[in-house]
Amino acid sequence: NAMIQTKIRGLKELDKILGEIAKEYGQKEGEKTLRDALRNAAKPVLVEAKAKAPAKSGALRDSIKVSVGKPNKADYESGSATKDTVAVARVKTGNTKKTNAGGVWYANMVEYGTERQSPVPYLRPAIESQSDKSTAIFVEELGKSIDKSVKRLRAKANKGGK
């Protein structure tokens, strides 16, 4: 799969608040809050990558997806994640669980080219052109997600739940 990552560093106050949510309401709630913000932040890259992807059959374009989850071995090996990384967002293309057998095995060849074919970058330019917008959305959405989580959890606590 063609995978390019962008990192957002800093945001220490928001990170502190996420830590407080995790401490007060559980790690799972803090991670959900973060994942929701990451998923929304990746949407402009997704839209742009789909718009830039060459579309002979549409299979390549349709294979472009956002996934948010815990870091995997490749994230750690590439330096995209550290032991403190809770979640990562990926805009991926190529073989996915939902593509038919064989999937879009040629995604990397389109993005990077081959000996016989010039590259037709669609994912890297999407990330480059949308990174500022995605960062702004992440900050805004994380704030909204935190507010939403706190309100929901307080309401739950007031009803006698945990």
Side-chain angles (χ1 to χ4, degrees), residues 1-5 72 74-75 90-93 108 112 123 127:
N1 291 346
M3 183 168 58
I4 301 165
Q5 300 169 335
N72 60 30
D75 295 322
R90 297 177 190 88
V91 178
K92 302 191 296 187
T93 182
N108 278 342
Y112 297 103
L123 192 52
I127 291 169

Side-chain angles (χ1 to χ4, degrees), residues 75-87:
D75 295 322
Y76 292 114
E77 287 174 354
S78 70
S80 297
T82 67
K83 64 179 178 55
D84 298 322
T85 304
V86 175

Side-chain angles (χ1 to χ4, degrees), residues 1 59-63 93-96 99-100 102-108:
N1 291 346
L60 177 62
R61 181 193 60 235
D62 294 345
S63 78
T93 182
N95 291 333
T96 65
T99 55
N100 295 331
V104 184
W105 52 268
Y106 51 85
N108 278 342

